[in-house]
Amino acid sequence: MINLKQFEVWFVTGSQHLYGPEVLKQVDKDSAQIAAALDNSASIPCKVIFKPVLTGPDAITKLCAEANTTADCIGLITWMHTFSPAKMWIAGLKLLTKPIVHLHTQFNRDIPWDTIDMDFMNLNQSAHGGREYGFILSRMRKDRKVVVGHWKEEAVQKKLAVWMRAAAAWHDWQGGRIARFGDNMREVAVTEGDKVEAQIRLGFSVSGYGVGDLVAKVKEVTDAESDALVKEYNEQYEVIRSEAKAIREAARIELGMRGFLEEGGFNAFTTTFEDLHGLVQLPGLAVQRLMADGYGFGAEGDWKTSALVRAMKVMAAGLKGGTSFMEDYTYHLDPARRMVLGAHMLEVCPSIAAGEVKLEVHPLGIGGKADPGRLVFNTATGYGVNVSILDMGNRFRLLVNPCDVVAPEADLPKLPVARVVWIPKPNLEIAAAAWIHAGGAHHTGFSMAITEEYLEDFAAMAGIECLLIDDNTTIREFKNEIRWNDVYYMIANSAF
């Protein structure tokens, strides 16, 4: 399972020697108090580590270099307590490879109207110190999140928490490993992409394996091991049409696949129904349960969506709602209430399940293999978000569409797969058209745990384009945004 408390975020404060030792002692004390409060906040998912106040370029450069080489450090919270001349930050910021968030706050919440004097003014200069620091970040084209407000406010801490979760996901991508069992679904375009460019720009690697490598691990599973896992199935799920042979084979596939992924240090994987040689059935139950444990997944060789689902799993760790691989499957086009039915052949994560989860065995019309086991369930209602990652040739694009998850209008008694029904924002007509204009894939990462803010923060850290389809979207403006972005990325890429 994913534990965000293993990660550190360093709390870094800028000042200068101009103010003298007593002021700097107070700055250090105030900074330590803020860092401790954030570290102890229930909203904050990672450890917040206080660092002594920085007053010169050598100390700043040294800290940035240390952050780069500290494995558990996923980013810096930066705060200017006083005025900190920004030229001091240039060398360090040029070196820094970890994400930063600019916390534009001050130690005191209110102006002490009756007692304020110049000593107070000299100590509390965040208002213009933050602007000086912000200039050099913008001048150096350093993308970052800016959070404004008092550090004790819950809203401020929650924005920092969102950024931390995005930073943890970005950190997880660096050196992340994706196993690809088989290749891409034949003739499908959107699931393809440049794996070398992805490793250069995004940090994770994609390695292909013949299905025979997986089959060899499945064959190593003993009867005792598979029987023990079947017992676990019976304890966790309502087992329907319990065909013992099929369920035992599903258990063998899960154990073999889990062992392969663990031994290889993989955190995401793909399969394809067109390449199942040696497997008795399509891995459905195995994929669902591995996703529930935090693995990323993409069907039909879709390594980009696999990486995306993993990142969303990291961002959502410990939050309510769940995250899954998903596919827009079919529409309900009643003008009174247009909706989307999302599902897949088998592979929907039970972390998004509401109510009972049934383990069922049914025929699968494609793949030419034995009837596979799968978990069947409905999903809770509420907020959701669908996300697609695309290789556009000269850049990667993240496409984000919030939605309202609603209850199906019937029980779907003959649909033997997990499913979600949603109404995309602003509505199906605009959302689907915008999605298609942007080249959005039929495979997505779907979450009821995170919001578009997490994904926008993540895209900024990754340096990739982010397009949002929401209540404010119009097709005219959305198409213009795509055109403007095309020009921007042509210019930006030519600068390297």
Side-chain angles (χ1 to χ4, degrees):
M1 301 299 285
I2 300 165
N3 176 22
L4 299 185
K5 279 297 182 183
Q6 66 183 302
F7 298 127
E8 298 177 0
V9 173
W10 292 1
F11 191 88
V12 177
T13 305
S15 187
Q16 60 176 323
H17 287 293
L18 175 68
Y19 305 108
E22 293 306 313
V23 168
L24 291 178
K25 285 180 183 178
Q26 189 63 47
V27 169
D28 214 51
K29 181 180 177 182
D30 292 348
S31 301
Q33 184 175 335
I34 296 175
L38 294 177
D39 187 53
N40 292 323
S41 169
S43 299
I44 299 297
C46 306
K47 291 181 285 188
V48 177
I49 306 298
F50 165 73
K51 294 294 178 178
V53 63
L54 300 175
T55 56
D58 292 342
I60 293 170
T61 302
K62 181 181 178 182
L63 180 134
C64 290
E66 289 175 353
N68 287 345
T69 57
T70 301
D72 291 336
C73 175
I74 62 171
L76 309 182
I77 300 173
T78 55
W79 174 48
M80 304 302 113
H81 190 312
T82 63
F83 193 81
S84 180
K87 287 168 66 175
M88 299 192 307
W89 288 84
I90 292 174
L93 291 173
K94 285 175 67 176
L95 290 177
L96 186 65
T97 59
K98 301 292 176 77
I100 53 177
V101 58
H102 180 181
L103 177 58
H104 191 53
T105 189
Q106 58 189 26
F107 185 75
N108 59 295
R109 191 193 72 174
D110 301 332
I111 294 174
W113 302 104
D114 295 332
T115 60
I116 187 170
D117 56 18
M118 286 309 300
D119 289 338
F120 182 93
M121 296 279 277
N122 285 333
L123 177 62
N124 298 282
Q125 298 188 43
S126 299
H128 66 285
R131 284 166 167 76
E132 166 75 358
Y133 177 63
F135 165 76
I136 205 62
L137 288 167
S138 295
R139 176 66 176 80
M140 296 176 70
R141 308 300 192 265
K142 283 280 188 180
D143 208 340
R144 75 282 189 191
K145 184 172 190 171
V146 180
V147 177
V148 180
H150 193 252
W151 52 275
K152 287 185 178 180
E153 292 176 21
E154 184 179 7
V156 167
Q157 294 182 8
K158 285 185 174 180
K159 284 184 175 294
L160 291 173
V162 169
W163 174 87
M164 288 182 195
R165 289 177 175 276
W170 175 241
H171 181 80
D172 185 74
W173 264 15
Q174 308 314 299
R177 301 192 65 200
I178 300 174
R180 206 161 176 242
F181 297 117
D183 201 356
N184 198 65
M185 182 178 171
R186 289 184 283 276
E187 303 296 343
V188 175
V190 74
T191 52
E192 290 279 15
D194 189 336
K195 295 186 283 292
V196 174
E197 187 69 9
Q199 188 167 350
I200 292 169
R201 290 187 175 270
L202 305 179
F204 58 81
S205 63
V206 184
S207 300
Y209 294 90
V211 177
D213 296 327
L214 174 58
V215 171
K217 292 297 297 182
V218 172
K219 288 181 177 178
E220 292 177 5
V221 176
T222 67
D223 290 342
E225 289 171 328
S226 61
D227 288 345
L229 187 52
V230 169
K231 181 180 179 182
E232 183 179 322
Y233 294 163
N234 284 308
E235 292 171 352
Q236 290 189 11
Y237 315 118
E238 181 183 349
V239 180
I240 307 297
R241 296 180 58 190
S242 52
E243 301 179 25
K245 184 178 179 180
I247 292 178
R248 186 176 292 111
E249 188 58 36
R252 294 173 67 86
I253 293 173
E254 178 184 338
L255 290 165
M257 185 174 281
R258 189 180 293 274
F260 188 101
L261 296 173
E262 289 177 351
E263 287 180 14
F266 298 102
N267 53 19
F269 65 102
T270 72
T271 63
T272 175
F273 68 87
E274 288 183 331
D275 197 348
L276 298 174
H277 184 71
L279 291 175
V280 174
Q281 58 181 253
L282 175 67
L285 179 61
V287 171
Q288 291 178 290
R289 286 171 52 84
L290 285 163
M291 271 197 287
D293 287 341
Y295 284 91
F297 173 75
E300 290 102 46
D302 190 350
W303 54 271
K304 298 189 300 299
T305 300
S306 179
L308 173 62
V309 171
R310 168 64 184 186
M312 293 172 70
K313 289 277 188 184
V314 173
M315 286 184 250
L319 299 178
K320 296 179 180 178
T323 298
S324 180
F325 170 79
M326 189 57 63
E327 182 171 87
D328 302 65
Y329 229 94
T330 194
Y331 293 140
H332 183 73
L333 293 177
D334 180 353
R337 199 173 189 231
R338 291 175 173 152
M339 299 180 286
V340 182
L341 173 64
H344 202 255
M345 291 181 293
L346 303 174
E347 307 97 334
V348 176
C349 180
S351 67
I352 65 172
E356 62 182 1
V357 178
K358 299 178 181 179
L359 198 169
E360 303 183 9
V361 176
H362 295 279
L364 187 65
I366 58 178
K369 292 293 182 176
D371 300 349
R374 83 291 302 271
L375 301 176
V376 179
F377 52 83
N378 288 317
T379 308
T381 59
Y383 171 91
V385 63
N386 273 297
V387 192
S388 177
I389 186 168
L390 310 158
D391 184 345
M392 301 306 295
N394 66 341
R395 65 192 186 272
F396 291 95
R397 168 179 289 169
L398 203 66
L399 184 58
V400 181
N401 183 209
C403 62
D404 292 319
V405 182
V406 298
E409 295 192 351
D411 290 336
L412 305 170
K414 294 186 177 181
L415 184 62
V417 292
R419 55 277 184 143
V420 188
V421 180
W422 67 78
I423 301 173
K425 292 182 177 295
N427 54 56
L428 178 57
E429 180 182 5
I430 293 175
W435 192 274
I436 291 168
H437 279 299
H442 55 289
H443 291 166
T444 64
F446 170 83
S447 183
M448 297 185 71
I450 63 174
T451 67
E452 55 266 37
E453 183 181 359
Y454 294 77
L455 297 152
E456 289 173 312
D457 286 356
F458 181 75
M461 293 171 193
I464 60 178
E465 180 185 20
C466 185
L467 295 174
L468 176 63
I469 305 169
D470 64 3
D471 282 330
N472 298 315
T473 298
T474 67
I475 295 302
R476 180 182 293 109
E477 292 178 353
F478 191 77
K479 290 173 70 176
N480 280 335
E481 183 178 1
I482 293 172
R483 295 185 183 107
W484 297 332
N485 287 358
D486 282 339
V487 174
Y488 166 80
Y489 280 99
M490 282 190 286
I491 295 171
N493 290 338
S494 67
F496 291 100

